[in-house]
Amino acid sequence: MARVLTPRAEDFPRWYQDLISKAEMADNGPVRGTMVIRPTGYAIWERMVSDLDARIKATGAENAYFPLFIPESYLKREAEHVEGFSPELAVVTHGGGKKLEEPVVVRPTSETVIGEFMAKWTQSYRDLPLLLNQWANVVRWEMRPRVFLRTSEFLWQEGHTAHADEQDARDYARRILHEVYEDFMVNVLAIPVTVGRKTNRERFAGATSTYTLEAQTGDGKALQMGTSHELGQNFAKAFDISFSAKEGGQQFAWTTSWGVSTRMVGGLIMVHGDDNGLRVPPKLAPIQAYVMVVKDGDGVAEATDRVLAELRAAGVRVQVNDRTDTPFGRRAVDAELKGYPIRIEIGPRDIAEGNVTIARRTDGSKTPVSVDGVTKAVLDALEADQKALYDQAVVAREAKTTDAATLDEAIEVAGSGFARIAWDKVGVDGEAKANQSAVSVRCLVREDGGVPLSQDEPGLIAYLARSY
């Protein structure tokens, strides 16, 4: 396998690109910074979408769709917002062969256009909360693209809500953070995330509070997996999202926004991948069990059909590969690259002994199992390997997380992992100094691991790291 992928320890970025290519997950698009997501990669994204969409709807949000093109004037109405996005904007100046009267921006995010319609749809406190979500593509012109992690066009969900009071907005933004994002990342993606608050310097343009989920990649860098923002009344005032309050009089709404993207696919690769390819957590895997016919022979076809039927009946997502005209070794390498959790090998020699061979991607083990016991063995292995991937990721993260006593030590440690340090030893000036060394404060957390409401709370812990 070393000839297939560059070893992670030798060149982690090259390993990442090799894996995406060899596992047939994506290709670079024809325009610099864009990507073509191939069926293998898109199947993983579809599983993410399906699970997250159900979780989002369980919080009361409804899906809608808003235009890709946004009038430039909309963004300019929220000055801090447009200032934060200016370098990343793609602007259309001509359409239909003519110069447009007003340039339109290709959607970088939809706070402004959704704000326009929230104002139209909100008259009374009875119309609130207004809980919306959309699955869409966005464009942020990227100078240093990396497939799945940073591309000029990417796929995501973006939630936007309006509330009658600040506390309700805050509670909802934090509910999304924990019940939707954190639970999904931990229990489905098997990725441990550090959940905290962004500093004022790092928060989303136009937000009053930004909450984040930070993963640690295999080379010790941070990867922002998702964010949830309190927007205060900033966008409500810019777009006149106001309503008749229950107590009487007009009041501006409190709004939130929150999103995750195809960056999660990159995070999945960088956290769980090894020198043999991707390892997909069983709960997420589009194909949980990959049944491979090693060689045709007496009883092989019958055993294969039985195994497939029993696994499907047990709810296992299963696919068969009976292409015996392709060498078995090549097919097995392809399955390992794509990270299928379980490989079930069926050949004449196995069947003669009443067995099949179960190969587990997580630990690389291969075990003979009786045909009668295949379903139970697969179900047990899927459950065990979901936990094993998470546990391994926790151990790897802790091995590259160091408590630092000083800012200088934290900056040095952040060259190869996470630095954990008291926020009062960093502060605003120390954060600026760290940025000069390409190190950022990824998030702030309370001593008990809770998420603070302000960066001015006493006793906060800062996580510093280099990031993708």
Side-chain angles (χ1 to χ4, degrees):
M1 291 299 297
R3 290 192 298 271
V4 177
L5 300 179
T6 301
R8 291 200 322 160
E10 180 180 307
D11 187 337
F12 192 85
R14 172 52 57 190
W15 164 84
Y16 177 77
Q17 297 295 342
D18 283 354
L19 193 156
I20 288 172
S21 174
K22 298 295 184 180
E24 300 179 341
M25 297 190 71
D27 271 324
N28 290 314
V31 174
R32 185 180 183 277
T34 63
M35 63 176 168
V36 175
I37 307 175
R38 300 184 66 176
T40 297
Y42 201 79
I44 291 173
W45 173 242
E46 283 183 310
R47 290 285 306 166
M48 292 178 174
V49 170
S50 177
D51 193 301
L52 281 166
D53 192 60
R55 292 167 186 265
I56 289 168
K57 286 173 179 171
T59 70
E62 297 179 293
N63 284 344
Y65 185 80
F66 292 84
L68 174 69
F69 296 128
I70 301 173
E72 188 178 51
S73 59
Y74 280 25
L75 275 81
K76 289 182 175 178
R77 279 158 67 180
E78 214 297 307
E80 186 179 351
H81 194 61
V82 71
E83 182 180 345
F85 278 105
S86 286
E88 302 175 353
L89 296 179
V91 183
V92 179
T93 58
H94 290 72
K98 297 180 180 180
K99 186 174 182 179
L100 301 177
E101 290 185 11
E102 178 186 355
V104 297
V105 173
V106 183
R107 172 176 58 213
T109 181
S110 298
E111 277 79 11
T112 58
V113 66
I114 292 179
E116 178 78 7
F117 285 88
M118 281 182 165
K120 179 179 180 181
W121 300 334
T122 302
Q123 281 80 45
S124 163
Y125 70 91
R126 296 182 184 88
D127 299 320
L128 299 173
L130 183 55
L131 311 176
L132 301 172
N133 178 64
Q134 78 166 343
W135 293 94
N137 61 337
V138 294
V139 171
R140 297 179 186 177
W141 213 255
E142 182 59 54
M143 295 297 102
R144 294 179 295 278
R146 192 185 300 265
V147 174
F148 288 124
L149 300 184
R150 288 188 179 277
T151 49
S152 294
E153 179 192 6
F154 55 91
L155 306 179
W156 78 346
Q157 62 74 209
E158 50 176 319
H160 300 268
T161 69
H163 303 259
D165 63 75
E166 182 178 21
Q167 190 60 50
D168 191 52
R170 175 169 297 146
D171 290 346
Y172 193 83
R174 291 167 76 100
R175 182 181 180 187
I176 292 292
L177 179 74
H178 295 297
E179 293 184 19
V180 177
Y181 294 161
E182 182 181 10
D183 189 71
F184 172 73
M185 291 171 192
V186 169
N187 292 311
V188 178
L189 301 188
I191 294 177
V193 284
T194 302
V195 184
R197 178 191 181 88
K198 288 290 190 184
T199 64
N200 294 347
R201 186 185 184 94
E202 292 286 335
R203 70 188 175 197
F204 179 65
T208 57
S209 298
T210 290
Y211 306 114
T212 182
L213 305 102
E214 302 285 330
Q216 186 186 87
T217 62
D219 59 348
K221 291 184 179 179
L223 184 68
Q224 181 178 288
M225 295 283 284
T227 49
S228 183
H229 315 281
E230 292 180 52
L231 304 176
Q233 294 177 309
N234 292 343
F235 287 88
K237 290 177 179 178
F239 289 87
D240 193 25
I241 309 172
S242 59
F243 61 96
S244 299
K246 190 174 184 178
E247 305 79 16
Q250 287 292 116
Q251 182 176 317
F252 288 110
W254 301 80
T255 66
T256 78
S257 69
W258 27 276
V260 292
S261 74
T262 37
R263 168 175 281 217
M264 290 189 299
V265 180
L268 185 79
I269 297 168
M270 287 188 153
V271 172
H272 294 312
D274 63 16
D275 285 349
N276 292 335
L278 183 59
R279 297 189 300 170
V280 184
K283 287 185 180 179
L284 178 71
I287 299 170
Q288 295 173 309
Y290 194 59
V291 179
M292 299 184 66
V293 176
V294 180
K295 185 178 179 181
D296 293 325
D298 290 344
V300 170
E302 293 79 5
T304 300
D305 289 343
R306 176 183 170 185
V307 167
L308 287 170
E310 291 182 0
L311 287 173
R312 285 172 179 150
V316 177
R317 295 185 290 276
V318 60
Q319 187 177 99
V320 64
N321 183 314
D322 56 4
R323 292 293 304 271
T324 55
D325 56 335
T326 300
F328 176 77
R330 182 181 300 176
R331 290 184 286 146
V333 166
D334 185 63
E336 287 208 328
L337 281 166
K338 293 178 179 176
Y340 303 142
I342 301 293
R343 201 168 68 242
I344 303 171
E345 302 172 359
I346 303 178
R349 187 178 302 173
D350 299 300
I351 296 305
E353 298 176 359
N355 294 329
V356 300
T357 298
I358 290 185
R360 294 167 63 173
R361 180 65 182 85
T362 297
D363 63 9
S365 65
K366 297 184 75 170
T367 308
V369 175
S370 70
V371 174
D372 291 339
V374 169
T375 299
K376 182 179 186 308
V378 167
L379 292 173
D380 289 347
L382 292 174
E383 182 178 356
D385 289 350
Q386 179 76 29
K387 183 178 185 301
L389 281 174
Y390 180 78
D391 290 345
Q392 289 172 21
V394 169
V395 169
R397 181 183 66 172
E398 291 308 306
K400 291 184 177 179
T401 301
T402 304
D403 290 313
T406 66
L407 175 62
D408 287 342
E409 182 186 354
I411 292 173
E412 181 179 355
V413 166
S416 58
F418 282 12
R420 195 164 43 205
I421 185 173
W423 169 234
D424 61 16
K425 292 185 178 180
V426 181
V428 174
D429 292 340
E431 184 177 13
K433 179 180 178 180
N435 289 170
Q436 293 172 4
S437 299
V439 171
S440 57
V441 178
R442 303 312 303 165
C443 65
L444 304 174
V445 303
R446 291 171 176 160
E447 289 180 327
D448 64 359
V451 180
L453 295 175
S454 163
Q455 72 173 35
D456 299 322
E457 286 186 22
L460 295 183
I461 305 299
Y463 281 81
L464 276 66
R466 295 178 182 270
S467 65
Y468 281 102

